[in-house]
Amino acid sequence: MGQPVIVPRAEHAISRKQIDPDALRVLYRLHQGNYLAYLVGGSVRDLLLGRRPKDFDIGTSAHPYQVKRLFRNCWIIGRRFRLAHVRFGSKTIEVATFRRQLSADELAALDSQPPTEGIQVDAHPRDGHDRVLHRDNTFGTPEEDAFRRDFTMNALFYDIASFSIIDYTGGLKDLDARVIRCIGDPAVRFQEDPVRMLRAVGMAARLDFSIDPPIDAAIAAHAGEIGRSAPSRLIEEFYKLLRAGASERAFRMLAERRLLDPIAHQLQKGSGDALWQSLSALDAYRKRFEETPATLTNAVLLGSLLAPLGPGAGGALAPPVQHGELRKEPALSLGMLPLARRDVERLRQILGLQRRLLDMNLSPRARRALTHRAPFQEALTWLDIHGQAPDVLEHWRGFIEAAGSFEAETEETGSPAPRRRRRRRRRRPPRTTTT
């Protein structure tokens, strides 16, 4: 550890206009409370690259309950490490206290202590809450926090007090060189958290960066360690890869490094033209939008990955078990990736609607009924991505627009839509019985 590189406001391109206004409110209030307040992580990296950040995370010297005292709209979450979530409507700004990595001696000392003798992080708690945190959750300085992060470009800070960028790890040089580099020994960092291997490949694919040779060497030596990761974390990382707009490149890179095999051998084995074409179509759709569209639901993403593998892919695309059958449908998975039953069921509905969407002979009444089906919008998104039927898609868009205009006109004039008159049933004469 040494002196950081500090880039003053006049020498970098980040403007406060590019930062989310609610994130700015949090930064300013922490600064006014005499706490350090930095924009941290991927948001600083993306702003420097001219990209729009997905999230604006904040690092601070304030402890979680000190943050809570500053914000009425703040909730403390987490058991292993307390985080402050400051909510503005449906938006959440995550505020984390600077942490440090414990040394081997400190870890050994903690392991020998009873659970109640953890590290006290607040000597004077005012609200009666327990301040005991676990081994990797000890509060520290900004410099210590930077060095406990995974990659150099994710350890950059933007200081709201001086509007400067602070770089402890050489992340600015690596951004200029367009290379993904680990902080510390990659082999050690990947054994600490094997999911970092997926993140390294995902960032390289998304940003079109090269991967530092020591990282590739560590992946080759420890690819099997990815199987130790929690399946729930792995499936979330897969969804992030699929949503990023560079999924084809990412999955090709993962297949080349044999990282798919320990997770789902079906993907490693089935990584061929059909899969690459499906992911390429998904990427082309994503790139039409500045931000990830709401239409890219988990079901659509899952289908883009599973459909090229065929019906046997984790059992997800096989016909579901009927209610009348006695046997219970087994838990669905793709290798060690758990598949949520609601996403799989929605995917089946999406695929089931494709035949009807392609039927140009449907009556207007049947088309209107189809638009009111719950999975209709997702089915239309699937047709847009994978259907290769632009004429049909344009027809549906025109039909939806016309139907919307008709409904708006009806609401404006206040006159209800004309109803079809029901035919009156003819009464049948009562049956007479003869004895």
Side-chain angles (χ1 to χ4, degrees):
M1 296 186 186
Q3 291 298 315
V5 173
I6 297 178
V7 182
R9 172 65 189 93
E11 297 177 21
H12 66 77
I14 295 181
S15 165
R16 279 167 288 171
K17 294 178 182 177
Q18 301 169 294
I19 301 174
D20 182 273
D22 293 321
L24 279 176
R25 288 191 189 98
V26 176
L27 287 166
Y28 281 137
R29 192 173 297 181
L30 286 167
H31 176 58
Q32 290 162 4
N34 296 318
Y35 299 109
L36 293 177
Y38 296 165
L39 199 64
V40 300
S43 56
V44 182
R45 174 200 69 213
D46 288 343
L47 288 171
L48 287 170
L49 292 173
R51 300 167 67 94
R52 185 181 180 86
K54 181 184 175 186
D55 301 303
F56 290 87
D57 295 335
I58 292 172
T60 181
S61 58
H63 294 169
Y65 287 94
Q66 292 172 329
V67 177
K68 187 172 176 63
R69 285 194 287 270
L70 291 176
F71 298 93
R72 294 177 61 187
N73 54 330
C74 176
W75 281 260
I76 305 300
I77 68 159
R79 296 185 64 183
R80 293 182 64 249
F81 182 68
R82 300 279 175 85
L83 293 171
H85 276 187
V86 185
R87 296 179 187 168
F88 299 89
S90 60
K91 185 198 306 176
T92 298
I93 304 297
E94 186 172 282
V95 182
T97 306
F98 297 128
R99 288 186 277 172
R100 69 182 177 91
Q101 196 86 11
L102 293 183
S103 66
D105 292 340
E106 288 173 315
L107 287 173
L110 275 180
D111 286 339
S112 65
Q113 292 176 356
T116 56
E117 297 181 17
I119 296 179
Q120 296 291 330
V121 298
D122 191 341
H124 305 287
R126 300 179 187 176
D127 48 15
H129 287 276
D130 185 14
R131 296 296 192 276
V132 177
L133 298 180
H134 295 285
R135 55 169 57 189
D136 58 342
N137 299 317
T138 309
F139 296 154
T141 65
E143 182 178 10
E144 290 168 330
D145 188 86
F147 276 94
R148 57 162 290 280
R149 293 174 181 268
D150 46 11
F151 304 105
T152 57
M153 65 180 62
N154 291 341
L156 299 171
F157 299 149
Y158 174 83
D159 183 6
I160 197 62
S162 60
F163 314 126
S164 59
I165 294 172
I166 303 173
D167 178 14
Y168 288 99
T169 64
L172 290 171
K173 286 184 179 179
D174 292 335
L175 273 184
D176 290 338
R178 301 183 69 82
V179 61
I180 308 291
R181 196 185 309 278
C182 247
I183 297 174
D185 184 354
V188 174
R189 304 312 300 270
F190 293 161
Q191 288 181 73
E192 290 173 354
D193 184 3
V195 174
R196 286 172 176 157
M197 291 185 271
L198 287 184
R199 289 182 182 153
V201 173
M203 280 199 303
R206 185 171 68 255
L207 303 175
D208 197 18
F209 277 29
S210 63
I211 295 179
D212 194 31
I215 290 181
D216 265 336
I219 289 175
H222 301 284
E225 295 288 315
I226 198 77
R228 294 192 295 108
S229 305
S232 57
R233 289 186 65 205
L234 290 175
I235 190 66
E236 285 305 314
E237 287 298 323
F238 269 53
Y239 281 136
K240 287 178 185 177
L241 293 176
L242 291 167
R243 279 193 175 91
S247 60
E248 181 194 357
R249 189 186 308 145
F251 278 86
R252 282 184 183 272
M253 293 171 70
L254 291 173
E256 289 167 3
R257 290 161 176 78
R258 310 293 301 179
L259 275 170
L260 294 175
D261 208 15
I263 300 171
H265 68 275
Q266 301 99 314
L267 282 174
Q268 185 73 49
K269 183 180 176 182
S271 53
D273 290 342
L275 179 61
W276 306 140
Q277 289 170 10
S278 177
L279 295 180
S280 176
L282 179 66
D283 293 340
Y285 178 82
R286 170 62 184 88
K287 288 172 183 175
R288 284 156 46 185
F289 304 90
E290 187 175 347
E291 296 181 354
T292 305
T295 50
L296 281 183
T297 60
N298 283 357
V300 173
L301 297 174
L302 192 60
S304 301
L305 196 61
L306 293 182
L309 304 181
L317 302 183
V321 176
Q322 300 299 318
H323 292 296
E325 298 184 25
L326 294 177
R327 66 190 182 89
K328 186 179 178 182
E329 188 176 359
L332 298 171
S333 63
L334 178 64
M336 65 179 292
L337 298 175
L339 307 181
R341 198 171 297 279
R342 65 179 177 276
D343 295 333
V344 172
E345 182 55 37
R346 181 52 67 96
L347 172 58
R348 288 171 178 161
Q349 294 171 0
I350 290 168
L351 297 178
L353 285 182
Q354 295 306 302
R355 181 180 58 81
R356 299 200 69 195
L357 288 175
L358 292 169
D359 185 358
M360 302 296 287
N361 296 320
L362 284 178
S363 67
R365 186 178 180 182
R367 288 176 197 159
R368 280 195 299 272
L370 202 57
T371 60
H372 289 93
R373 295 279 297 272
F376 173 75
Q377 287 297 336
E378 289 165 284
L380 206 60
T381 299
W382 182 272
L383 182 67
D384 192 355
I385 297 172
H386 301 293
Q388 298 180 349
D391 295 341
V392 178
L393 189 66
E394 194 62 33
H395 164 77
W396 276 105
R397 284 174 176 162
F399 179 80
I400 293 168
E401 186 177 348
S405 300
F406 177 74
E407 289 178 7
E409 185 180 342
T410 302
E411 288 178 8
E412 189 176 331
T413 59
S415 58
R419 282 186 168 184
R420 189 174 173 183
R421 198 170 176 181
R422 269 192 192 175
R423 280 186 68 183
R424 220 169 173 186
R425 280 194 182 179
R426 238 168 115 187
R427 288 192 180 179
R428 294 184 180 178
R431 291 185 181 178
T432 57
T433 56
T434 58
T435 58

